[in-house]
Amino acid sequence: MEPALSESLMEAVLSSGNVREAWRRVKSNGGAAGVDGTTVDEFVVKIRSSWEGIRESLMKGTYQPSPVLRVEIPKKNGGKRPLGIPTVCDRLIQQSIHQVLQPKFDPEFSESSFGFRPNRSAHGAVRRVQELIRSGYCFVVDIDIEKFFDRVNHDILMTQVSKRVEDKRLLRLIGKYLRSGVSVKGRVEPTKEGTPQGGPLSPLLANVYLDVLDKELEKRGLNFVRYADDLLILVKSKEAGDRVLRSVTRFLAKRLKLTVNQEKSGVREANDTNYLGFTFHNGKIRWSEESERSFRHRVKELTGRSWFVSMPYRIRKLSVYIRGWVNYFGISEYYHPIPDLDSWIRRRVRMCYIKAWRKRRTRIRNLQARGVLLHTAIRTGLIERGWWYLSGVLGVQNAFPNARLKKNGLVSVKELWVKIHYGNTVKTKLASS
C-alpha cells in the first residue's frame, strides 16, 4: 500500500493545466443546466471574470457548492431513476478533482471491478463473466444493492477517502459536495447520505466505497465481476451460492450499511443470468430479450407516424441510434436474429415513405417514378389494407430495395455486427448459430 497522498493535492486540482483539461471534458459532455440555470455555453462567458475568485475561495476552504438539481429519468422496468445535475461550475470542479484522484486510487482497485475506470468497460465485465462460466462456474449469485447511490454512508466513505488523501482542504471540499443538498421542485432538501448520480466525482466515490466489498470478496477467494453496483459472484453449486448470498448480505449490512434487495437478488444458473443487458447461453454471449424489446420499441418511436420530420432527418436519427446500439450489443455471438431484425427495420422505413402517399393516384405515380412497372404500381396503389401490410408488398419493396435504403443513409445491423466480429474485409459465409 502506497503512503497517503501529499497535502498539496488542492494545488494539483486547481492547476491551470488540470482545470483546462477538466473544462474540455465538461464542455464536450454538454448536459443540462443546474439550479442556477447557467448552460455550458453561458458559463464560458461568466468563468472568464469569476474564476480567480472561485479559485481563491476553493484554496481558502470557503467555497460552497450549489445543491444539485434532482430530475428523474425513466428506467427500462418502468420505474424512475433519480439523477442529480450539478451546476456547470461544480461539474468543472468535480471533474478537476476526479482527474487528480482517479490515477491515485485506481491502481489499488480490484481487477474484478470494471465500472467507471480507465481502459475498462461493460464489455470487459461481460467477457469476464463468460470466461468464468466456461471455466465451470455454472451458478451465479446475483446481488442487487438497494438504492446504492442514495444509501452511501458519508462517514464510511470519507474514512476510505482519507486513507489515501491527507489534504484537509480537499477532504472538506469532497464532504461539502456530499452534503450540498438536492433541489426538488424548487425546494432544497439535505443530503445526509448518498452520492447523487450525475456528477463527475460520483462514479469514483462509488468505486472507493465498494472497494471495501471487493477486497473482502478477494480475501474469501471468490470469483466475482462488478460494474458499479451491478455485482455477480460465480460459484460451482447452488448450495455454495446460497451460502455466499447470505454471508455477503450480512457483510454489506454490517460493514457498509447497505441493504440487499432480496426480491431481485438470488442464485441462478448461468444460462438464466441477465447482466448489463446480456445473457449467456452455453458459454456464448447474447443480447437479452429485454434489450431487444427495448431496441424495437425505440425503433418504432423513430419510425412512428406521430413524429413529423423529413425522411432524411428520420433516417439519420435512426441510423445514429442503430450504430450506438450495435456498438454496445454487437459483441453478442448469436447471429440468428440479426437478418430478421434488419428486415423488420427496413420494412418500418418503407412504411414511413409510403405513409406520405395517402392518395392512390399519388401512390401509383411515386411508385412508377421509382422504377416500379405500371401494372405492379397500379396493383400496389389500389391495396386498401394497413400501412404495415402495404410496406411488405412487392411493389413497395421494388420501389425501395435494400440498396436504395442504404444509399439514403440507413445502416444495417448485420453489416455493423460483421464488422465488429470479422473486420472490414471479411468474406465469410454467415450461418446461424
Side-chain angles (χ1 to χ4, degrees), residues 236-247:
K236 292 187 175 182
S237 70
K238 188 177 187 308
E239 293 74 19
D242 290 335
R243 290 194 299 271
V244 168
L245 179 57
R246 288 193 297 269
S247 64

Side-chain angles (χ1 to χ4, degrees), residues 350-366:
R350 292 185 183 109
M351 186 173 63
C352 291
Y353 276 111
I354 61 175
K355 278 180 181 178
W357 309 338
R358 294 188 174 273
K359 294 183 179 181
R360 295 178 182 177
R361 187 175 300 176
T362 302
R363 202 180 302 164
I364 295 170
R365 185 170 63 248
N366 281 315

Side-chain angles (χ1 to χ4, degrees), residues 144-275:
D144 182 276
I145 302 175
E146 190 169 350
K147 297 182 179 179
F148 165 71
F149 284 93
D150 295 331
R151 301 284 172 79
V152 168
N153 183 283
H154 291 172
D155 291 337
I156 295 174
L157 174 58
M158 291 308 299
T159 298
Q160 291 303 116
V161 174
S162 64
K163 289 178 179 179
R164 302 278 296 149
V165 177
E166 282 189 346
D167 193 321
K168 296 295 189 289
R169 298 165 298 176
L170 186 53
L171 289 171
R172 283 193 294 268
L173 180 59
I174 294 172
K176 285 183 178 181
Y177 273 118
L178 292 173
R179 300 185 301 272
S180 63
V182 295
S183 176
V184 182
K185 297 180 180 180
R187 185 181 72 256
V188 177
E189 299 178 356
T191 47
K192 297 180 180 179
E193 60 181 1
T195 171
Q197 297 183 74
L201 193 55
S202 182
L204 175 60
L205 295 179
N207 275 335
V208 171
Y209 197 81
L210 288 176
D211 188 57
V212 177
L213 172 62
D214 295 344
K215 295 298 190 288
E216 176 66 18
L217 297 179
E218 288 178 342
K219 186 172 73 173
R220 298 184 186 186
L222 294 171
N223 289 288
F224 68 97
V225 178
R226 183 175 66 79
Y227 186 92
D229 59 330
D230 288 313
L231 172 66
L232 294 185
I233 305 171
L234 289 97
V235 295
K236 292 187 175 182
S237 70
K238 188 177 187 308
E239 293 74 19
D242 290 335
R243 290 194 299 271
V244 168
L245 179 57
R246 288 193 297 269
S247 64
V248 172
T249 298
R250 289 193 298 268
F251 177 84
L252 285 169
K254 184 177 181 180
R255 181 68 177 81
L256 295 178
K257 312 297 183 188
L258 295 173
T259 302
V260 171
N261 187 323
Q262 296 297 332
E263 292 184 2
K264 295 182 180 180
S265 303
V267 182
R268 305 177 178 91
E269 291 188 9
N271 283 346
D272 296 329
T273 300
N274 188 335
Y275 189 59

